[in-house]
Short mmCIF file of all heavy atoms in Angstrom, two decimals:
data_model
loop_
_atom_site.label_atom_id
_atom_site.label_comp_id
_atom_site.label_asym_id
_atom_site.label_seq_id
_atom_site.Cartn_x
_atom_site.Cartn_y
_atom_site.Cartn_z
N VAL B 282 26.41 76.32 35.46
CA VAL B 282 25.14 75.59 35.38
C VAL B 282 25.07 74.65 36.57
O VAL B 282 26.04 74.04 36.98
CB VAL B 282 25.11 74.77 34.06
CG1 VAL B 282 23.87 73.93 33.98
CG2 VAL B 282 25.22 75.75 32.89
N SER B 300 15.50 66.52 47.57
CA SER B 300 15.77 65.71 48.76
C SER B 300 14.56 64.89 49.15
O SER B 300 14.67 63.73 49.51
CB SER B 300 16.16 66.64 49.93
OG SER B 300 17.26 67.42 49.57
N ILE B 306 12.27 57.87 47.39
CA ILE B 306 12.72 56.73 46.60
C ILE B 306 13.55 55.77 47.44
O ILE B 306 13.38 54.55 47.41
CB ILE B 306 13.53 57.20 45.37
CG1 ILE B 306 12.60 57.96 44.39
CG2 ILE B 306 14.21 56.03 44.66
CD1 ILE B 306 13.32 58.64 43.28
N ASN B 339 0.71 48.93 60.66
CA ASN B 339 1.69 48.24 61.49
C ASN B 339 1.54 48.68 62.92
O ASN B 339 1.53 49.86 63.23
CB ASN B 339 3.10 48.58 60.99
CG ASN B 339 4.10 47.65 61.62
OD1 ASN B 339 4.14 47.53 62.84
ND2 ASN B 339 4.90 47.03 60.80
N VAL B 354 4.26 70.43 69.57
CA VAL B 354 5.44 71.29 69.72
C VAL B 354 4.97 72.69 70.05
O VAL B 354 3.87 73.10 69.68
CB VAL B 354 6.30 71.30 68.43
CG1 VAL B 354 6.80 69.89 68.16
CG2 VAL B 354 5.49 71.80 67.24
N LYS B 407 26.26 92.65 64.53
CA LYS B 407 25.83 91.28 64.81
C LYS B 407 26.93 90.32 64.40
O LYS B 407 27.56 90.48 63.35
CB LYS B 407 24.54 90.93 64.04
CG LYS B 407 23.40 91.89 64.30
CD LYS B 407 22.91 91.74 65.74
CE LYS B 407 21.76 92.73 65.97
NZ LYS B 407 21.35 92.72 67.37
N LEU B 476 -4.86 41.15 40.57
CA LEU B 476 -4.57 40.70 39.21
C LEU B 476 -4.33 41.92 38.34
O LEU B 476 -5.03 42.91 38.45
CB LEU B 476 -5.73 39.90 38.64
CG LEU B 476 -5.86 38.47 39.12
CD1 LEU B 476 -7.06 37.82 38.51
CD2 LEU B 476 -4.62 37.66 38.79
N ASN B 503 -23.86 1.28 9.18
CA ASN B 503 -23.10 0.60 10.22
C ASN B 503 -22.50 -0.70 9.71
O ASN B 503 -22.72 -1.78 10.23
CB ASN B 503 -24.02 0.32 11.42
CG ASN B 503 -23.23 0.12 12.68
OD1 ASN B 503 -22.09 0.57 12.79
ND2 ASN B 503 -23.82 -0.55 13.64
N GLU B 511 -12.23 -0.42 12.18
CA GLU B 511 -12.03 0.10 13.53
C GLU B 511 -11.13 -0.82 14.33
O GLU B 511 -10.26 -0.39 15.08
CB GLU B 511 -13.39 0.25 14.24
CG GLU B 511 -13.77 1.69 14.48
CD GLU B 511 -15.11 1.82 15.16
OE1 GLU B 511 -15.90 0.88 15.14
OE2 GLU B 511 -15.33 2.87 15.73
N ILE B 545 -0.06 12.08 14.64
CA ILE B 545 -0.81 11.06 15.32
C ILE B 545 -0.28 9.71 14.83
O ILE B 545 -0.18 9.48 13.62
CB ILE B 545 -2.33 11.15 15.02
CG1 ILE B 545 -2.86 12.49 15.54
CG2 ILE B 545 -3.08 9.99 15.65
CD1 ILE B 545 -4.29 12.75 15.13
N THR B 563 14.26 -29.65 -6.03
CA THR B 563 15.08 -29.77 -7.24
C THR B 563 16.19 -30.80 -6.98
O THR B 563 16.65 -30.99 -5.86
CB THR B 563 15.72 -28.44 -7.61
OG1 THR B 563 16.47 -27.96 -6.50
CG2 THR B 563 14.65 -27.42 -7.96
N THR B 583 1.90 -2.30 10.80
CA THR B 583 2.34 -1.03 10.23
C THR B 583 2.07 0.08 11.23
O THR B 583 1.01 0.11 11.85
CB THR B 583 1.60 -0.73 8.92
OG1 THR B 583 1.73 -1.85 8.05
CG2 THR B 583 2.15 0.51 8.23
N ILE B 596 -7.60 34.13 19.54
CA ILE B 596 -7.86 35.34 20.32
C ILE B 596 -7.92 34.93 21.78
O ILE B 596 -8.49 33.87 22.09
CB ILE B 596 -9.21 35.97 19.91
CG1 ILE B 596 -9.24 36.24 18.42
CG2 ILE B 596 -9.48 37.25 20.70
CD1 ILE B 596 -8.29 37.34 17.98
N SER B 619 -1.41 18.18 4.95
CA SER B 619 -1.46 16.93 5.70
C SER B 619 -0.88 15.83 4.84
O SER B 619 -1.10 15.80 3.62
CB SER B 619 -2.91 16.56 6.06
OG SER B 619 -3.50 17.56 6.83
N ASP B 624 -0.95 1.82 6.34
CA ASP B 624 -1.90 0.93 5.68
C ASP B 624 -3.23 0.96 6.42
O ASP B 624 -3.28 1.20 7.62
CB ASP B 624 -1.38 -0.52 5.68
CG ASP B 624 -0.09 -0.68 4.92
OD1 ASP B 624 -0.11 -0.51 3.69
OD2 ASP B 624 0.93 -0.96 5.56
N LEU B 626 -7.37 -1.18 6.03
CA LEU B 626 -8.07 -2.28 5.38
C LEU B 626 -8.92 -1.76 4.25
O LEU B 626 -9.60 -0.73 4.37
CB LEU B 626 -8.97 -2.97 6.40
CG LEU B 626 -8.38 -4.05 7.30
CD1 LEU B 626 -9.47 -4.69 8.14
CD2 LEU B 626 -7.63 -5.10 6.51
N PRO B 632 -4.93 -5.41 3.43
CA PRO B 632 -4.25 -4.14 3.69
C PRO B 632 -3.96 -3.41 2.39
O PRO B 632 -3.61 -4.02 1.37
CB PRO B 632 -2.94 -4.58 4.37
CG PRO B 632 -2.77 -6.01 4.04
CD PRO B 632 -4.11 -6.58 3.76
N THR B 637 0.93 8.92 1.32
CA THR B 637 0.75 10.04 0.39
C THR B 637 1.84 10.01 -0.67
O THR B 637 3.02 9.85 -0.37
CB THR B 637 0.82 11.35 1.16
OG1 THR B 637 -0.14 11.34 2.21
CG2 THR B 637 0.53 12.54 0.24
N GLY B 651 -8.64 21.20 6.09
CA GLY B 651 -9.47 22.38 6.31
C GLY B 651 -9.26 23.01 7.67
O GLY B 651 -8.17 23.01 8.21
N PHE B 654 -11.20 23.93 15.19
CA PHE B 654 -11.35 24.83 16.33
C PHE B 654 -10.37 24.40 17.42
O PHE B 654 -10.21 23.22 17.68
CB PHE B 654 -12.79 24.76 16.86
CG PHE B 654 -12.98 25.49 18.16
CD1 PHE B 654 -13.07 26.86 18.20
CD2 PHE B 654 -13.03 24.79 19.35
CE1 PHE B 654 -13.24 27.53 19.39
CE2 PHE B 654 -13.18 25.44 20.56
CZ PHE B 654 -13.29 26.82 20.59
N SER B 684 -10.51 11.47 6.01
CA SER B 684 -10.56 10.55 4.87
C SER B 684 -11.18 11.24 3.66
O SER B 684 -11.88 12.24 3.79
CB SER B 684 -11.39 9.32 5.24
OG SER B 684 -12.64 9.72 5.74
#
Side-chain angles (χ1 to χ4, degrees):
Chain B
V282 176
S300 303
I306 292 171
N339 193 307
V354 298
K407 305 292 180 185
L476 283 178
N503 202 22
E511 249 180 340
I545 298 173
T563 57
T583 306
I596 304 292
S619 300
D624 298 293
L626 275 185
T637 304
F654 170 78
S684 53

